[in-house]
Amino acid sequence: MSSTIAHGPLDQPVTTHIWREKYRHGDEAAPADTFARVVGGVYANDTKEQAETALAALNARDWVPGGRIFAGAGTGKRVTWINCFVSPTIQDSMDTEPDLPGAGIMPALNVAAFTQQQGGGIGMDFGTLRPDGAVVGRTGSISSGVIPFMVMWDGMCVTIRSSGSRRGAMMGVLPVWHPDVLAFITAKTRKDFLKNFNVSVTVTDDFMAALEAGEDWELGFHVPRADGEHVAVREKDGRPWYVYRRLPAAELFDLITRTTYEYAEPGVIFIERVNRLNNLNYCETIAATNPCGEQPLPPNGDCDLGHVNLANMVLNPFTTDAAVDWERLRAAVRIGVRFLDNVLDTSPFPTAEQRAEALAKRRIGLGYTGLGNLLQQMRVRYGRGAVALVEQVGEAIAIEAYRTSVDLARERGVFPAYDTEAFARAPFLEKLPADLVADIRTYGIRNGVLLTLAPTGTTSIFYGNVSSGVEPTFSWHYDRAVVVEQTATEQKLESFEVQDYGWYLYSRMPGFDAASALPDYMVTALELSVDDHIAVAAAAQAWVDAAISKTINCPAEMPYEAFREVYLTAYREGMKGCTTYRPSGLRGSVLSVKSDTPAVADTVEAPFAGTSEVLARPQVLNGKTIKIKWPIDGENYYLTINDYVHPDGKRVPFEIFISTSSVENFETMAALTRTLSAACRRGDATFLFEELERVHSPKGGALIRLEHEAKGTYAPSLIALIGRILRQHSTPAPVNAIEETGEQCPNCKRHTAHKLEGCLTCFQCGYSKCG
C-alpha cells in the first residue's frame, strides 16, 4: 500500500473550508488553481521546468508552503509572503539616533505596524529600553520603564488588520538581567493586559550557572537610577553598569516558572545557546525571535517558511513492511529549498531594511509537518521510543537541504554575507558528512540558515488534516456543525466530519475493527508523558540549525516542582528554548483531558443541582456551533455547545466554547468559556445564563435574529446575546451522540486546536496567533 494521499482526507469538508476561507483567491475553483497561482508567483524568475516540478509537489501534497505564501503569492496584493520578522534594534530614545544601530521607539513602532499590516508577525527585544526609575537626562525626568512602551505596541496591534481578517502577532522579549524583568514576567497575569503579545524571557548561561550554584543574581542597566540608590556599579561592555537589584537566582527562576505554571507565559529562550550555535554568529547577534519562537532572528531578520509533508512519506503504512520513502522525502527537500530561495527574490517586504537583511543572508526556514502521522504509519509510538527515527528523518532532511543549497550556490552564487572561513566554524557543520562540508568550503552555500520547525496548523488541515509540525496527533475524529452563513431571515449550516489523516488511513486498513483497542503507536498528545514530549522536541532540535516551535503540554494536576524541572531538563537536553502549557483555573484550557473510555461513551449519572462534584467527560458528545455576527465591532463569534444526555433523556450543556478572531476579546471569551463550562459540569447552569442576559455594554446593544425566531430581538451586549442563546438551548430533549474527541481550541473553543509549537493554533477553524 502506497502512502500517496488518497482522495478521502483531502475531500474532508474542513479542508475545503480552510482553503476557501484562508487561501483561495478570486475565482479559483479548486486547490489546484491555488497551487498554480502560488507557483506562478514564486517561480516568476525561474525556469518552466523547475516550476512544473514544484507544482507537481504541491498537487501531490509533498511540499507545503507557509501560510503567507499561500495567501499572497501571485495575488498582486500588497502583502508579504514572509511569515514573520524581528524588529530593528529599538534605540533607547523616542526618535532615531543616526549614529546608532536600529531605530528610535516611534520609528520602530511604525515598522511593527507596517509589518503587521502587510501580513507579517514581528518580535521585539525591549531589553534596550531603560528601566522604570531610570534617569532621563535630556528631559530631566524619570523613565516609566519597558511595560508602558509595550502597551503602545499592544494598542497598535489592536488597530491593525492585515491581509483580510488576519490579526497581528507579536513576541516581546526581555533579558533576564533587565531591572523590569519582574514586572515583565507577571504583566500578563493582569486581565486583558498585553493580550496581543507572546512574551519570553531571554535567559543567559551565567544565570543558569547561578541558579545551579544557588547564587544571587543582579538586575542592572547602563543608565543610572534617578534616585541614585544603586546596589553596586560595575563595568560592562566598556560602560558603567548600574545594579538596581540583587536577588537569589532561584527566586527569579521560580517567579518565571510559577507564573507560567498558572498563566502559560512567559516562555524561556536560552539566548546564548542560540547565538553560539547560529551559523551566522560571525556577522550578527540575535536578541529576539519571531512570535512563535521557532526562528531566532537578528534585527530586521525574516522567516521564510515551508514544510515537507512527512505524512506522505511512508511506504506500506501500518504494516510490518512500512518504510520511509527516502527518495521522495529528499526530492521534496530539494524542491523546498529552491522554492524558499525563490520567495526571497519575489516576495514584497514591508521595509527596505527587511529586504536588505533577507537578501544579504538568504535565510530560509525549511521544516516538516506530519511527524505524528509518519510515526503512526511506521508503527512507532511518539515519545522516547521514536527518538532514533525522528533524528534519522531530521538528518536526512538537513543533509539534503545543505546539499541543495550548495548546488544553488554553484548555480546562483553564495549569499552576500558568506565568509568561507567564518562559516566553516559553524557548529552545525560538524554534524554533516565530510564530503558535504568540503563542498561548502569549495563552492560556498546559497543560504545562511536553512532549517526551522514552525507551526503548521492551518496548512496541515488544508493538506488533509495531517498532524501539525513536530506535534503528535491531538484528536482522531469528530463531527462539527457550523453556521457558515447567517442573514436576517435564514441560517445556512454545514456539517463537517473531521478525521486525522493518520486515523483515516489506519481505520481503512484491512481487518480494522472499531471495537478493538488501538495499538500502542496510535496515541494522542494527552496520552503521552511530559518526558515523551521533551524527548521528541530535543531529537527534532538536534538536526535543525535555527530552532523549533513546540509546546510541552503538561497535565493540570502536575505538581509545581515537576513542572519547574521541565525547564531544567530542556536546558540540559540542549534545547534553545522552552514553552509549556498547563491548564489552570486562571487561564482557559487549551487541551482538555479526554477520558480513557471506549469509543462509545458510557452513560454517567450526574446531579442537576449545583454541586462540587465534577461530571466526568464522556469521550463522545453531541454539539453544534452557532456563528454570531456582532455588528458593534464587526467581528464573527462562534458559540459551540456540547451536550450531555442523561439516562432519562434530559439534555444539558456540558461544555461551552466561544471563539473569535478578535484578539481584543480573546481573553474575555476564554474566561467566559472556562466559567460556563465549569458551571455546566457541576449541574444545571441555566441560572448563570440568565445572569449573563442582564449584562449591558457601554458601547450599546444590537438587534439580532437567532435561529427559530420570527423576528430580531434586541441584545444589550454580546455577552447578553450569548446568555440568551444558551438559555434557549437548555431545554430537555433527547439527542443522539455524535462521535467527537479532541482538545479545546483557544479560538473556536472546539476540541480541534492546540497550544503547540509555541503558538496558539486551531486545525478546525484555522485560527493561529502566529501562522
Side-chain angles (χ1 to χ4, degrees):
M1 179 176 178
S2 171
S3 70
T4 303
I5 294 183
H7 265 314
L10 296 181
D11 287 341
Q12 293 186 71
V14 68
T15 66
T16 302
H17 176 73
I18 289 295
W19 165 71
R20 185 175 60 241
E21 294 295 318
K22 291 283 186 179
Y23 304 130
R24 182 189 184 203
H25 176 66
D27 60 357
E28 292 170 353
D33 299 327
T34 301
F35 297 151
R37 181 253 301 166
V38 168
V39 170
V42 172
Y43 282 73
N45 303 326
D46 209 332
T47 67
K48 180 181 179 181
E49 180 183 15
Q50 292 290 346
E52 289 174 348
T53 301
L55 182 58
L58 266 70
N59 278 310
R61 304 318 201 264
D62 287 353
W63 171 245
V64 191
R68 293 302 88 206
I69 299 172
F70 267 132
T75 64
K77 295 179 182 178
R78 191 186 178 189
V79 295
T80 185
W81 312 348
I82 306 297
N83 269 66
C84 297
F85 300 85
V86 156
S87 169
T89 299
I90 306 173
Q91 296 179 3
D92 190 24
S93 61
M94 296 302 289
D95 205 357
T96 299
E97 297 285 349
D99 297 331
L100 297 176
I105 292 169
M106 298 312 296
L109 178 63
N110 183 64
V111 169
F114 194 44
T115 299
Q116 292 182 84
Q117 188 272 331
Q118 287 207 18
I122 191 164
M124 280 75 61
D125 169 31
F126 290 101
T128 54
L129 302 185
R130 67 189 65 200
D132 185 16
V135 65
V136 182
R138 285 184 177 180
T139 61
S141 58
I142 301 174
S143 170
S144 57
V146 166
I147 303 301
F149 286 109
M150 292 184 67
V151 171
M152 289 170 50
W153 263 260
D154 193 63
M156 171 275 296
C157 190
V158 172
T159 67
I160 296 297
R161 183 186 295 270
S162 61
S163 186
S165 62
R166 180 176 166 84
R167 288 286 189 179
M170 300 189 298
M171 169 69 84
V173 305
L174 200 68
V176 73
W177 45 258
H178 195 284
D180 285 356
V181 72
L182 304 178
F184 177 85
I185 291 166
T186 59
K188 290 191 69 175
T189 66
R190 295 160 57 183
K191 184 178 183 295
D192 293 335
F193 194 66
L194 300 182
K195 57 190 175 183
N196 299 299
F197 273 104
N198 290 335
V199 294
S200 289
V201 177
T202 50
V203 171
T204 58
D205 290 343
D206 56 348
F207 174 79
M208 296 303 292
L211 175 65
E212 179 71 21
E215 296 173 350
D216 285 347
W217 181 249
E218 294 181 342
L219 307 179
F221 203 74
H222 62 82
V223 176
R225 294 173 59 115
D227 60 10
E229 297 294 327
H230 307 109
V231 175
V233 181
R234 309 194 186 286
E235 184 176 309
K236 191 174 186 179
D237 300 325
R239 296 184 292 173
W241 196 70
Y242 302 90
V243 179
Y244 281 49
R245 180 171 178 176
R246 184 181 292 123
L247 73 167
E251 182 179 320
L252 179 53
F253 185 74
D254 283 348
L255 182 64
I256 294 171
T257 51
R258 283 194 181 276
T259 304
T260 307
Y261 184 74
E262 297 291 356
Y263 293 93
E265 289 188 87
V268 166
I269 301 166
F270 302 120
I271 195 65
E272 290 183 326
R273 178 175 289 159
V274 165
N275 280 290
R276 186 168 58 252
L277 298 180
N278 179 18
N279 287 355
L280 302 174
N281 58 22
Y282 63 88
C283 62
E284 66 182 26
T285 300
I286 290 173
T289 74
N290 70 326
C292 291
E294 81 278 4
Q295 191 73 307
L297 294 167
N300 292 307
D302 71 302
C303 53
D304 170 18
L305 300 176
H307 328 282
V308 175
N309 182 12
L310 296 183
N312 223 21
M313 300 294 165
V314 181
L315 299 167
N316 307 308
F318 303 108
T319 72
T320 55
D321 296 325
V324 175
D325 190 340
W326 296 109
E327 286 307 311
R328 186 172 184 174
L329 176 65
R330 293 185 181 99
V333 172
R334 290 192 293 271
I335 291 166
V337 171
R338 190 180 192 100
F339 186 105
L340 295 178
D341 190 65
N342 283 348
V343 166
L344 295 173
D345 294 318
T346 51
S347 172
F349 282 80
T351 71
E353 291 79 8
Q354 291 167 348
R355 177 185 292 278
E357 171 66 26
L359 296 183
K361 299 165 186 173
R362 304 198 69 86
R363 205 180 226 102
I364 62 173
L366 183 140
Y368 55 72
T369 191
L371 175 65
N373 291 154
L374 177 139
L375 294 176
Q376 293 153 14
Q377 294 174 69
M378 292 291 292
R379 311 207 308 179
V380 175
R381 181 181 173 88
Y382 189 104
R384 291 209 170 272
V387 165
L389 182 55
V390 172
E391 290 187 345
Q392 188 179 13
V393 169
E395 179 182 13
I397 291 173
I399 291 173
E400 197 65 29
Y402 271 74
R403 286 196 191 281
T404 304
S405 190
V406 172
D407 291 341
L408 281 176
R410 299 177 71 178
E411 175 186 342
R412 297 175 170 179
V414 299
F415 67 91
Y418 177 71
D419 180 292
T420 301
E421 297 301 325
F423 194 85
R425 293 192 292 269
F428 194 80
L429 270 62
E430 298 174 3
K431 301 181 177 185
L432 302 178
D435 67 315
L436 177 52
V437 174
D439 284 347
I440 293 173
R441 178 174 282 277
T442 301
Y443 304 110
I445 194 165
R446 179 66 172 171
N447 310 100
V449 178
L450 289 91
L451 305 164
T452 299
L453 294 180
T456 63
T458 307
T459 50
S460 294
I461 303 170
F462 179 28
Y463 270 47
N465 205 32
V466 303
S467 59
S468 182
V470 71
E471 300 288 351
T473 290
F474 280 83
S475 176
W476 297 128
H477 50 78
Y478 55 91
D479 288 342
R480 182 183 180 188
V482 179
V483 180
V484 294
E485 184 178 337
Q486 179 167 324
T487 68
T489 58
E490 64 178 354
Q491 289 179 326
K492 180 181 178 182
L493 289 108
E494 186 173 346
S495 180
F496 290 163
E497 180 186 5
V498 183
Q499 297 188 48
D500 170 72
Y501 173 77
W503 166 263
Y504 184 94
L505 291 185
Y506 178 79
S507 64
R508 285 154 180 80
M509 291 291 293
F512 171 75
D513 183 359
S516 299
L518 292 175
D520 182 67
Y521 57 81
M522 293 295 288
V523 61
T524 56
L526 293 186
E527 299 171 82
L528 297 168
S529 70
V530 171
D531 285 346
D532 284 329
H533 283 284
I534 294 175
V536 172
Q541 176 66 76
W543 282 97
V544 170
D545 55 16
I548 74 170
S549 187
K550 168 135 180 56
T551 294
I552 308 301
N553 294 300
C554 303
E557 65 274 12
M558 186 178 196
Y560 167 71
E561 290 301 326
F563 181 86
R564 182 183 190 270
E565 187 64 26
V566 169
Y567 288 80
L568 300 175
T569 301
Y571 184 73
R572 289 191 292 264
E573 291 282 346
M575 294 175 64
K576 295 182 180 179
C578 187
T579 301
T580 56
Y581 189 86
R582 185 194 72 93
S584 78
L586 299 180
R587 188 180 177 101
S589 170
V590 172
L591 299 178
S592 60
V593 180
K594 75 174 187 178
S595 67
D596 294 327
T597 55
V600 179
D602 295 329
T603 303
V604 181
E605 186 156 355
F608 283 86
T611 175
S612 61
E613 180 182 353
V614 180
L615 182 63
R617 187 193 193 277
Q619 189 170 353
V620 179
L621 291 174
N622 179 54
K624 70 176 183 178
T625 299
I626 301 167
K627 179 181 177 182
I628 302 169
K629 180 75 171 181
W630 185 244
I632 301 303
D633 60 10
E635 296 285 356
N636 291 326
Y637 295 82
Y638 296 85
L639 173 62
T640 298
I641 311 167
N642 288 339
D643 291 323
Y644 181 89
V645 183
H646 288 270
D648 62 2
K650 180 175 176 62
R651 180 194 70 193
V652 296
F654 179 88
E655 54 193 13
I656 295 163
F657 307 132
I658 310 164
S659 68
T660 176
S661 60
S662 168
V663 294
E664 183 176 2
N665 292 321
F666 172 76
E667 289 197 357
T668 299
M669 293 302 160
L672 191 59
T673 289
R674 189 73 178 177
T675 301
L676 291 171
S677 294
C680 289
R681 293 176 186 183
R682 287 167 171 80
D684 190 346
T686 304
F687 75 96
L688 188 54
F689 306 153
E690 293 171 350
E691 290 297 324
L692 294 181
E693 288 187 81
R694 300 186 176 97
V695 175
H696 288 251
S697 170
K699 296 180 180 179
L703 188 67
I704 299 289
R705 192 190 74 81
L706 297 175
E707 186 179 6
H708 308 312
E709 291 182 343
K711 60 181 181 178
T713 304
Y714 179 79
S717 67
L718 173 62
I719 299 297
L721 176 60
I722 291 170
R724 187 168 95 231
I725 295 171
L726 293 172
R727 178 182 53 79
Q728 293 175 347
H729 174 84
S730 300
T731 55
V735 295
N736 296 320
I738 299 176
E739 189 169 18
E740 177 180 343
T741 62
E743 288 69 45
Q744 180 180 327
C745 166
N747 177 57
C748 71
K749 301 306 178 187
R750 296 292 292 182
H751 288 181
T752 57
H754 334 217
K755 178 68 161 63
L756 76 158
E757 304 170 306
C759 187
L760 302 177
T761 305
C762 175
F763 67 92
Q764 167 61 32
C765 71
Y767 170 85
S768 175
K769 192 173 182 180
C770 306

